Amino acid sequence: MPAAILVVEDEPAIQELLALNLEHAGHSVLRARDAEQAAKLVRHALPDLILLDWMLPGQSGAAFARDLRRDERTKQVPIIMLTARGQEQDKVAGLDAGADDYVTKPFSPRELLARIKAVLRRRAPQRTEEPAEVGGLRLDPATHRVTADSRNLELGPTEFRLLHFLMTHPERVHSRAQLLDRVWGDHVFLEERTVDVHIRRLRKALEPTGHNRLIETVRGSGYRLAAMPTSEV
Ligand code: CA
Protein backbone atom coordinates (compact mmCIF):
# COMPACT_ATOMS: atom_id res chain seq x y z
CA MET A 1 0.00 0.00 0.00
CA PRO A 2 1.44 3.41 -0.90
CA ALA A 3 2.79 5.49 1.95
CA ALA A 4 3.47 9.20 2.39
CA ILE A 5 7.22 9.47 2.87
CA LEU A 6 9.08 12.58 3.95
CA VAL A 7 12.60 12.76 2.52
CA VAL A 8 14.95 15.01 4.49
CA GLU A 9 18.12 15.41 2.45
CA ASP A 10 20.11 18.54 1.61
CA GLU A 11 21.94 17.24 -1.46
CA PRO A 12 19.59 17.93 -4.40
CA ALA A 13 20.83 15.03 -6.56
CA ILE A 14 20.36 12.47 -3.80
CA GLN A 15 17.00 13.95 -2.81
CA GLU A 16 15.88 13.68 -6.43
CA LEU A 17 17.09 10.09 -6.73
CA LEU A 18 15.32 9.10 -3.52
CA ALA A 19 12.10 10.81 -4.57
CA LEU A 20 12.11 9.21 -8.01
CA ASN A 21 12.64 5.72 -6.61
CA LEU A 22 9.96 6.15 -3.98
CA GLU A 23 7.45 7.60 -6.44
CA HIS A 24 8.22 4.82 -8.89
CA ALA A 25 7.33 2.34 -6.13
CA GLY A 26 3.98 4.08 -5.72
CA HIS A 27 4.72 6.18 -2.64
CA SER A 28 3.95 9.86 -2.36
CA VAL A 29 6.95 11.99 -1.46
CA LEU A 30 7.38 15.16 0.54
CA ARG A 31 10.77 16.84 0.45
CA ALA A 32 12.72 18.93 2.93
CA ARG A 33 16.28 20.27 2.76
CA ASP A 34 16.83 20.57 6.49
CA ALA A 35 15.30 19.75 9.86
CA GLU A 36 13.56 23.10 10.12
CA GLN A 37 11.71 22.61 6.84
CA ALA A 38 10.95 19.00 7.79
CA ALA A 39 9.52 20.06 11.15
CA LYS A 40 7.20 22.48 9.36
CA LEU A 41 5.91 19.72 7.05
CA VAL A 42 5.45 17.30 9.96
CA ARG A 43 3.47 19.91 11.89
CA HIS A 44 1.12 20.19 8.97
CA ALA A 45 0.69 16.47 8.28
CA LEU A 46 2.19 13.38 9.81
CA PRO A 47 3.99 11.28 7.17
CA ASP A 48 3.90 7.47 7.30
CA LEU A 49 7.69 7.33 7.34
CA ILE A 50 10.66 9.70 7.38
CA LEU A 51 13.87 9.11 5.45
CA LEU A 52 16.33 11.23 7.36
CA ASP A 53 19.83 12.18 6.29
CA TRP A 54 22.41 12.23 9.06
CA MET A 55 24.43 15.18 7.78
CA LEU A 56 22.17 18.19 7.40
CA PRO A 57 22.91 21.89 7.52
CA GLY A 58 21.75 23.27 10.88
CA GLN A 59 20.21 20.68 13.18
CA SER A 60 21.62 17.20 12.56
CA GLY A 61 19.43 14.29 11.50
CA ALA A 62 20.00 12.55 14.83
CA ALA A 63 19.00 15.62 16.84
CA PHE A 64 15.85 15.95 14.73
CA ALA A 65 15.06 12.25 15.27
CA ARG A 66 15.38 12.77 19.03
CA ASP A 67 13.00 15.74 18.84
CA LEU A 68 10.46 13.61 16.98
CA ARG A 69 10.72 10.82 19.54
CA ARG A 70 10.19 13.21 22.45
CA ASP A 71 6.97 14.62 21.01
CA GLU A 72 3.82 12.63 21.85
CA ARG A 73 2.38 13.28 18.41
CA THR A 74 5.42 12.23 16.38
CA LYS A 75 7.07 9.62 18.56
CA GLN A 76 5.56 6.70 16.62
CA VAL A 77 6.57 7.90 13.13
CA PRO A 78 8.94 5.35 11.56
CA ILE A 79 12.36 6.84 10.79
CA ILE A 80 15.06 5.44 8.52
CA MET A 81 18.41 7.23 8.78
CA LEU A 82 20.65 7.75 5.77
CA THR A 83 24.31 7.55 6.71
CA ALA A 84 27.60 7.57 4.82
CA ARG A 85 29.20 4.21 4.25
CA GLY A 86 31.45 2.99 7.00
CA GLN A 87 30.37 5.54 9.60
CA GLU A 88 29.74 2.83 12.16
CA GLN A 89 29.33 5.25 15.07
CA ASP A 90 26.72 7.21 13.06
CA LYS A 91 24.60 4.08 12.68
CA VAL A 92 24.74 3.36 16.39
CA ALA A 93 24.01 6.97 17.28
CA GLY A 94 21.16 7.00 14.78
CA LEU A 95 19.53 3.97 16.35
CA ASP A 96 20.16 5.49 19.78
CA ALA A 97 18.37 8.63 18.64
CA GLY A 98 15.29 6.52 17.91
CA ALA A 99 15.66 5.60 14.23
CA ASP A 100 14.05 2.28 13.26
CA ASP A 101 16.69 1.41 10.71
CA TYR A 102 19.43 2.95 8.60
CA VAL A 103 20.59 2.78 5.02
CA THR A 104 24.14 3.61 3.96
CA LYS A 105 24.90 5.87 1.02
CA PRO A 106 25.42 5.13 -1.80
CA PHE A 107 22.30 2.99 -1.44
CA SER A 108 20.77 0.41 -3.72
CA PRO A 109 17.18 1.44 -4.52
CA ARG A 110 16.01 -2.12 -4.12
CA GLU A 111 17.52 -2.42 -0.65
CA LEU A 112 16.08 0.95 0.35
CA LEU A 113 12.56 -0.07 -0.75
CA ALA A 114 12.86 -3.41 1.02
CA ARG A 115 13.87 -1.69 4.24
CA ILE A 116 11.03 0.80 3.95
CA LYS A 117 8.60 -2.07 3.46
CA ALA A 118 9.98 -3.93 6.48
CA VAL A 119 9.82 -0.87 8.73
CA LEU A 120 6.29 -0.04 7.57
CA ARG A 121 5.15 -3.60 8.20
CA ARG A 122 6.55 -3.39 11.70
CA ARG A 123 5.57 0.15 12.58
CA ALA A 124 2.65 1.06 10.34
CA PRO A 125 0.78 -2.19 9.58
CA GLN A 126 -2.10 -0.20 8.08
CA ARG A 127 0.23 0.67 5.18
CA THR A 128 0.96 -2.90 4.14
CA GLU A 129 -1.04 -5.44 2.19
CA GLU A 130 -1.30 -7.89 5.08
CA PRO A 131 -4.92 -8.88 5.79
CA ALA A 132 -6.16 -7.87 9.24
CA GLU A 133 -8.54 -9.90 11.38
CA VAL A 134 -10.27 -8.81 14.57
CA GLY A 135 -13.31 -10.28 16.30
CA GLY A 136 -14.46 -12.24 13.23
CA LEU A 137 -14.06 -9.24 10.97
CA ARG A 138 -11.59 -9.62 8.13
CA LEU A 139 -10.12 -6.83 6.03
CA ASP A 140 -8.01 -7.57 2.98
CA PRO A 141 -6.09 -4.53 1.66
CA ALA A 142 -5.07 -6.38 -1.52
CA THR A 143 -8.63 -7.02 -2.67
CA HIS A 144 -10.12 -4.07 -0.75
CA ARG A 145 -12.70 -6.37 0.81
CA VAL A 146 -14.19 -6.49 4.26
CA THR A 147 -15.93 -9.71 5.20
CA ALA A 148 -17.61 -11.10 8.31
CA ASP A 149 -19.66 -14.27 8.76
CA SER A 150 -18.95 -15.01 5.06
CA ARG A 151 -20.69 -11.80 4.07
CA ASN A 152 -19.22 -8.91 2.12
CA LEU A 153 -19.57 -5.57 3.82
CA GLU A 154 -19.74 -2.45 1.67
CA LEU A 155 -17.43 0.34 2.84
CA GLY A 156 -16.51 3.69 1.30
CA PRO A 157 -12.80 4.38 0.74
CA THR A 158 -12.40 6.58 3.84
CA GLU A 159 -14.27 4.12 6.05
CA PHE A 160 -12.04 1.37 4.67
CA ARG A 161 -8.86 3.28 5.62
CA LEU A 162 -10.30 4.15 9.01
CA LEU A 163 -11.25 0.54 9.72
CA HIS A 164 -7.86 -0.66 8.51
CA PHE A 165 -6.10 1.68 10.92
CA LEU A 166 -8.36 0.70 13.83
CA MET A 167 -7.98 -3.02 13.10
CA THR A 168 -4.20 -2.78 13.01
CA HIS A 169 -4.20 -0.80 16.28
CA PRO A 170 -6.92 -2.50 18.32
CA GLU A 171 -7.67 -1.93 22.01
CA ARG A 172 -6.03 1.48 21.95
CA VAL A 173 -7.92 4.72 22.38
CA HIS A 174 -7.32 7.11 19.50
CA SER A 175 -8.21 10.76 19.83
CA ARG A 176 -9.91 12.48 16.93
CA ALA A 177 -6.74 14.49 16.24
CA GLN A 178 -4.68 11.28 16.14
CA LEU A 179 -7.11 9.67 13.73
CA LEU A 180 -7.01 12.73 11.47
CA ASP A 181 -3.22 12.52 11.52
CA ARG A 182 -2.92 8.80 10.93
CA VAL A 183 -5.86 8.11 8.63
CA TRP A 184 -6.33 11.40 6.80
CA GLY A 185 -2.73 12.62 7.15
CA ASP A 186 -3.90 16.07 8.15
CA HIS A 187 -4.89 17.39 11.51
CA VAL A 188 -4.68 21.09 10.72
CA PHE A 189 -7.27 21.82 8.07
CA LEU A 190 -9.81 19.14 8.88
CA GLU A 191 -12.31 19.48 11.67
CA GLU A 192 -12.49 16.80 14.34
CA ARG A 193 -16.16 16.44 13.47
CA THR A 194 -15.00 14.77 10.22
CA VAL A 195 -13.93 11.77 12.28
CA ASP A 196 -17.35 11.47 13.91
CA VAL A 197 -19.05 11.56 10.52
CA HIS A 198 -16.94 8.70 9.17
CA ILE A 199 -17.17 6.67 12.38
CA ARG A 200 -20.94 6.90 12.04
CA ARG A 201 -20.76 5.70 8.42
CA LEU A 202 -18.37 2.93 9.37
CA ARG A 203 -20.66 1.68 12.13
CA LYS A 204 -23.57 1.69 9.71
CA ALA A 205 -21.55 -0.34 7.18
CA LEU A 206 -20.68 -2.91 9.86
CA GLU A 207 -24.24 -3.17 11.17
CA PRO A 208 -25.40 -6.11 8.99
CA THR A 209 -23.15 -8.50 10.92
CA GLY A 210 -23.27 -6.68 14.25
CA HIS A 211 -19.59 -5.71 14.08
CA ASN A 212 -20.47 -2.07 14.62
CA ARG A 213 -20.29 -3.06 18.29
CA LEU A 214 -16.51 -3.42 17.97
CA ILE A 215 -16.18 0.33 17.60
CA GLU A 216 -16.45 1.98 20.97
CA THR A 217 -16.75 5.64 21.80
CA VAL A 218 -14.54 6.57 24.72
CA ARG A 219 -16.14 9.60 26.24
CA GLY A 220 -13.91 12.66 26.23
CA SER A 221 -11.05 10.74 24.57
CA GLY A 222 -11.95 9.33 21.18
CA TYR A 223 -12.55 5.90 19.69
CA ARG A 224 -11.34 2.38 20.24
CA LEU A 225 -11.74 -0.85 18.33
CA ALA A 226 -12.35 -3.59 20.86
CA ALA A 227 -10.71 -6.92 20.08
CA MET A 228 -13.83 -8.53 21.59
CA PRO A 229 -17.22 -6.86 21.34
CA THR A 230 -18.73 -5.62 24.57
CA SER A 231 -21.85 -7.58 25.38
CA GLU A 232 -23.93 -4.63 26.55
CA VAL A 233 -24.69 -2.17 23.82
CA1 CA B 1 23.59 15.54 3.67
Side-chain angles (χ1 to χ4, degrees), residues 171-224:
E171 287 299 318
R172 272 174 264 175
V173 180
H174 308 285
S175 70
R176 289 168 178 82
Q178 281 167 342
L179 289 171
L180 285 175
D181 247 349
R182 306 288 299 275
V183 177
W184 281 261
D186 188 336
H187 75 126
V188 175
F189 292 109
L190 287 168
E191 289 177 45
E192 299 200 342
R193 212 173 51 85
T194 307
V195 176
D196 301 330
V197 169
H198 288 279
I199 287 277
R200 204 177 310 135
R201 287 189 198 158
L202 176 58
R203 280 180 171 144
K204 194 150 182 57
L206 300 179
E207 240 171 45
T209 54
H211 286 86
N212 51 311
R213 282 177 302 156
L214 291 181
I215 297 169
E216 302 174 345
T217 304
V218 182
R219 199 174 289 273
S221 306
Y223 295 101
R224 170 174 58 207

Side-chain angles (χ1 to χ4, degrees), residues 8-11 14 33 53-57 82 105:
V8 192
E9 166 64 77
D10 57 310
E11 286 153 79
I14 299 179
R33 282 187 308 272
D53 185 29
W54 176 268
M55 292 288 285
L56 292 169
L82 297 167
K105 291 193 273 190

Side-chain angles (χ1 to χ4, degrees), residues 109-163:
R110 211 200 295 180
E111 187 202 344
L112 176 72
L113 292 171
R115 284 178 182 262
I116 287 174
K117 204 169 169 184
V119 168
L120 284 175
R121 189 178 296 138
R122 208 163 68 227
R123 299 291 307 274
Q126 78 278 13
R127 294 294 177 202
T128 70
E129 302 276 299
E130 308 280 321
E133 225 169 323
V134 176
L137 195 63
R138 185 183 159 87
L139 178 146
D140 188 346
T143 58
H144 237 261
R145 275 202 173 159
V146 178
T147 50
D149 307 333
S150 39
R151 282 179 72 168
N152 259 325
L153 297 167
E154 295 294 330
L155 267 70
T158 306
E159 287 71 52
F160 186 89
R161 286 208 315 276
L162 179 58
L163 180 62

